[in-house]
Amino acid sequence: MRLNRNFTPILVSLAAIFTLYISLAHMNVANIKQPNTLLSTAVALLIISANLYIPLFYAISVSLIFSSVIMVFKAKSILLDKPERFFVYSYLTYTAYNAFNMLWHGNWQWSTFNYPVKFTLVLGLYLLIRRYGYSNKSFLIGAIAGTVGSLIWACYQAEFLSILRVFGSTNKFISAFGLIAIFTGFSALYQLQSSSINTQLKRAMFILIAAATTYSVIKTGTKGVWITFPALALCWLLAMKSVSRRHIFYVAALGIIAPLLLYTFSSTFNHRIGSIIEPILIYIDTGIPTDGSATIRLETWKATWLMYQENMLF
């Protein structure tokens, strides 16, 4: 979905006002106190807009990035613990390594550097939230609303427009919509788990959110996103305060039963899984990629391994 020119000035104005307000809060101007409420609202809107309207998501993101830059110069120092320092240094090292690698080989391109440098922007947002905090309740509301937004897009495009692989408002970036939907859904599940909501209501909400997330992600037809389900389920287990054998059994059983049910009853899942079997068998026999998905990935991994054996560093 392209940004309508009539909305551009409005979104830019909102972004400017948002940045100015947080900036004033950083500098303690006009008796504006700690912007915890503002950041909580921004976090919720960020998740909702990512699922409903990407241009608004960009506007809020840019505002937060500018605000985080101002915070670096105006806010008090932030004491980070060891895991947090490791997190920050890892992102900075990754960005620096990519820059050095391109300079070393003499093929510097700003368009290529655009990808790793985004990790440093994330650090600014992390430090902004780390400094002022945000409301878990706002995050949960935003995540649930975002999950519903993804579900609405998926239902509308799949059932009413008969689009085979849904993409939401991402201008046909199918995998991006899949990643947004799965991140939002699991974020909602994680926050719901630690909330103080009534147990029975929490279970019902858990099932509904999990079902909505699964539907949205499956309708994207993106296998690369599908395979993240087990990893995210494992992270969810590790995040629980106490993990019993019953929890492990439920997750393992769901991991076995869900794919079988989807393969049986979901035409999208059935088609996408069935379409990779023959190309993989051909690749095993001949070593020739014959599709644009699974065998290309296998060939890329093979090339990466060969390059690593030839030169382990650069």
Side-chain angles (χ1 to χ4, degrees), residues 19 22-27 35 39 63-78 80 88 92 120-132:
T19 304
I22 298 182
S23 303
L24 292 174
H26 290 324
M27 295 181 282
L39 282 176
S63 300
L64 288 173
I65 289 170
F66 282 130
S67 301
S68 66
V69 172
I70 296 171
M71 183 206 69
V72 171
F73 297 99
K74 294 296 181 180
K76 298 179 181 179
S77 60
I78 302 173
L80 302 177
V88 171
L92 292 176
T120 58
L121 299 179
V122 172
L123 290 179
L125 299 182
Y126 173 76
L127 294 175
L128 181 66
I129 294 176
R130 180 67 170 78
R131 172 66 178 82
Y132 294 113

Side-chain angles (χ1 to χ4, degrees), residues 112-144:
T112 303
F113 187 61
N114 174 53
Y115 295 100
V117 79
K118 290 176 180 176
F119 285 84
T120 58
L121 299 179
V122 172
L123 290 179
L125 299 182
Y126 173 76
L127 294 175
L128 181 66
I129 294 176
R130 180 67 170 78
R131 172 66 178 82
Y132 294 113
Y134 68 90
S135 166
N136 289 335
K137 185 179 293 185
S138 297
F139 190 98
L140 177 59
I141 292 173
I144 292 176

Side-chain angles (χ1 to χ4, degrees), residues 53-105:
Y53 192 59
I54 289 295
L56 181 58
F57 169 82
Y58 289 148
I60 298 174
S61 299
V62 170
S63 300
L64 288 173
I65 289 170
F66 282 130
S67 301
S68 66
V69 172
I70 296 171
M71 183 206 69
V72 171
F73 297 99
K74 294 296 181 180
K76 298 179 181 179
S77 60
I78 302 173
L79 296 178
L80 302 177
D81 56 28
K82 189 173 181 179
E84 288 178 316
R85 290 197 299 271
F86 177 78
F87 167 72
V88 171
Y89 294 152
S90 297
Y91 273 36
L92 292 176
T93 301
Y94 174 75
T95 304
Y97 172 80
N98 279 274
F100 179 76
N101 190 32
M102 286 189 288
L103 290 171
W104 180 269
H105 291 95

Side-chain angles (χ1 to χ4, degrees), residues 4-314:
N4 190 311
R5 291 182 179 180
N6 295 328
F7 287 105
T8 302
I10 298 175
L11 293 178
V12 172
S13 300
L14 287 174
I17 294 171
F18 195 84
T19 304
L20 177 62
Y21 192 92
I22 298 182
S23 303
L24 292 174
H26 290 324
M27 295 181 282
N28 294 320
V29 176
N31 295 322
I32 297 176
K33 304 299 182 181
Q34 303 251 359
N36 177 279
T37 303
L38 188 61
L39 282 176
S40 300
T41 304
V43 168
L45 290 176
L46 201 65
I47 301 173
I48 296 171
S49 60
N51 292 269
L52 286 175
Y53 192 59
I54 289 295
L56 181 58
F57 169 82
Y58 289 148
I60 298 174
S61 299
V62 170
S63 300
L64 288 173
I65 289 170
F66 282 130
S67 301
S68 66
V69 172
I70 296 171
M71 183 206 69
V72 171
F73 297 99
K74 294 296 181 180
K76 298 179 181 179
S77 60
I78 302 173
L79 296 178
L80 302 177
D81 56 28
K82 189 173 181 179
E84 288 178 316
R85 290 197 299 271
F86 177 78
F87 167 72
V88 171
Y89 294 152
S90 297
Y91 273 36
L92 292 176
T93 301
Y94 174 75
T95 304
Y97 172 80
N98 279 274
F100 179 76
N101 190 32
M102 286 189 288
L103 290 171
W104 180 269
H105 291 95
N107 60 347
W108 178 272
Q109 292 181 348
W110 282 108
S111 59
T112 303
F113 187 61
N114 174 53
Y115 295 100
V117 79
K118 290 176 180 176
F119 285 84
T120 58
L121 299 179
V122 172
L123 290 179
L125 299 182
Y126 173 76
L127 294 175
L128 181 66
I129 294 176
R130 180 67 170 78
R131 172 66 178 82
Y132 294 113
Y134 68 90
S135 166
N136 289 335
K137 185 179 293 185
S138 297
F139 190 98
L140 177 59
I141 292 173
I144 292 176
T147 302
V148 173
S150 292
L151 178 64
I152 291 172
W153 268 117
C155 285
Y156 174 68
Q157 293 181 339
E159 309 301 337
F160 292 93
L161 301 183
S162 300
I163 296 176
L164 183 61
R165 300 180 62 187
V166 302
F167 50 84
S169 64
T170 61
N171 198 21
K172 298 186 178 180
F173 291 134
I174 300 172
S175 59
F177 179 68
L179 288 170
I180 291 171
I182 196 170
F183 165 77
T184 306
F186 270 88
S187 296
L189 294 177
Y190 175 77
Q191 289 293 339
L192 183 64
Q193 175 185 296
S194 57
S195 68
S196 57
I197 299 175
N198 177 274
T199 302
Q200 292 184 344
L201 177 60
K202 184 184 293 187
R203 288 175 180 173
M205 292 176 64
F206 186 94
I207 294 173
L208 292 174
I209 292 171
T213 303
T214 302
Y215 177 87
S216 300
V217 174
I218 291 299
K219 284 300 180 180
T220 64
T222 308
K223 299 186 291 291
V225 178
W226 293 350
I227 61 177
T228 62
F229 267 108
L232 289 173
L234 178 61
C235 291
W236 177 75
L237 277 177
L238 294 175
M240 294 181 66
K241 294 180 179 179
S242 60
V243 181
S244 64
R245 291 183 178 180
R246 184 182 63 180
H247 290 129
I248 298 175
F249 172 78
Y250 285 158
V251 172
L254 186 63
I256 296 173
I257 296 173
L260 294 176
L261 291 175
L262 288 170
Y263 189 81
T264 304
F265 297 105
S266 172
S267 58
T268 303
F269 189 84
N270 186 300
H271 172 74
R272 295 291 291 168
I273 295 299
S275 65
I276 67 173
I277 296 176
E278 184 177 355
I280 290 177
L281 293 176
I282 294 175
Y283 182 80
I284 293 174
D285 291 336
T286 65
I288 301 174
T290 55
D291 73 334
S293 181
T295 55
I296 290 294
R297 287 185 174 90
L298 292 174
E299 189 68 11
T300 302
W301 296 340
K302 176 183 174 181
T304 303
W305 174 245
L306 294 175
M307 292 169 62
Y308 174 77
Q309 289 180 311
E310 182 178 343
N311 191 333
M312 294 185 180
L313 292 178
F314 303 105

